Amino acid sequence: MKTSFKHQVVYLRHGFGKIFICPEVHAIFDRYRQIAPNATEAGGVLMGRFINDSPHIVVDHVSEPLIGDIRRRTYFYRTQVPHQIFVEKKWLESEATCTYLGEWHTHPEDDPTPSSIDLSGWRKKLRQNPNQRNTLIFIIVGRWRFRAWEGTLADRKIQIEEIFPNQIQ
C-alpha cells in the first residue's frame, strides 16, 4: 500500500505552538522516498516562517538535492553553496519573511530513526546556525512515514526532541 505525504500535517511543539508543513513540501518528500532497492538518500533545507506574535511555525519550501550533493543508499551530504543560494533567493523573494528553519533528508527505512551522525550534525547546526528563535526543525523521510524533531538552543544548552503530529486538527 503506497502512502502519500501530499497533505498538510500539523505538529505539536513541545510546550506550546504548532508546526504546519504545507502540502507542496509533502509532494517533494513523496518524490524522494527510497522505495526502490537502489534509491539513494536525498535532502535539503527547510524554509518558512515564524508567525509574528505566535509560537507557530510554517514550513513553506524545501530545497531538493542540488549539484554537488553526495547521494548514496545510506548517506547524504548537502553541499553548502547551492543550498545557501536557495535560502537567499527565498529570503529575497519573500521580502525577508521566509527564513531557514532546518534540514530534511531521507532514510531507506519504513519508520526512520536518526543515526548518531544525524544527531551530531543537528547539534552542530544548532550551535553554528541558530535562526532568530534558536529553533531548528529536522525531518527524516522514511519509506512509509516521516518523523520530525525540534532542536532548541537556550543558555548554550541543546535539546532535541521528537515532535508528533496533532491527531485533532
Side-chain angles (χ1 to χ4, degrees):
M1 176 175 120
K2 182 178 178 185
T3 303
S4 175
F5 297 140
K6 296 178 183 176
H7 59 280
Q8 177 173 283
V9 171
V10 179
Y11 279 85
L12 298 177
R13 298 181 69 193
H14 288 282
F16 57 94
K18 295 177 181 177
I19 298 171
F20 299 87
I21 301 178
C22 295
E24 296 80 10
V25 169
H26 284 264
I28 292 169
F29 291 165
D30 201 38
R31 279 202 306 269
Y32 290 101
R33 290 186 299 148
Q34 292 180 259
I35 304 299
N38 60 345
T40 57
E41 285 194 11
V45 298
L46 304 170
M47 296 288 297
R49 300 167 279 134
F50 292 99
I51 304 303
N52 288 337
D53 302 320
S54 161
H56 305 312
I57 299 171
V58 178
V59 178
D60 293 310
H61 307 282
V62 294
S63 66
E64 298 182 53
L66 296 170
I67 293 173
D69 292 347
I70 300 171
R71 299 178 62 190
R72 304 286 183 265
R73 179 69 178 157
T74 59
Y75 177 80
F76 176 76
Y77 175 78
R78 182 179 58 76
T79 306
Q80 176 69 26
V81 173
H83 292 272
Q84 184 62 39
I85 291 169
F86 173 85
V87 167
E88 290 170 4
K89 180 180 180 209
K90 291 296 180 191
W91 172 261
L92 292 172
E93 287 173 352
S94 71
E95 297 180 0
T97 61
C98 188
T99 190
Y100 172 80
L101 296 174
E103 309 276 324
W104 75 276
H105 70 282
T106 64
H107 274 193
E109 305 172 272
D110 290 347
D111 185 13
T113 57
S115 67
S116 60
I117 292 170
D118 293 332
L119 292 168
S120 174
W122 295 351
R123 286 185 197 97
K124 183 178 177 182
K125 286 284 178 201
L126 282 159
R127 280 191 302 274
Q128 293 180 346
N129 301 309
N131 52 36
Q132 72 254 26
R133 303 241 182 128
N134 291 328
T135 298
L136 294 177
I137 302 162
F138 305 104
I139 295 175
I140 302 178
V141 177
R143 290 167 33 93
W144 304 117
R145 85 179 268 224
F146 74 91
R147 294 171 68 185
W149 290 262
E150 181 177 3
T152 56
L153 175 66
D155 298 323
R156 296 168 44 181
K157 292 181 185 174
I158 291 174
Q159 187 167 4
I160 298 173
E161 296 181 278
E162 186 170 6
I163 53 177
F164 298 95
N166 184 9
Q167 299 302 315
I168 303 170
Q169 296 179 25

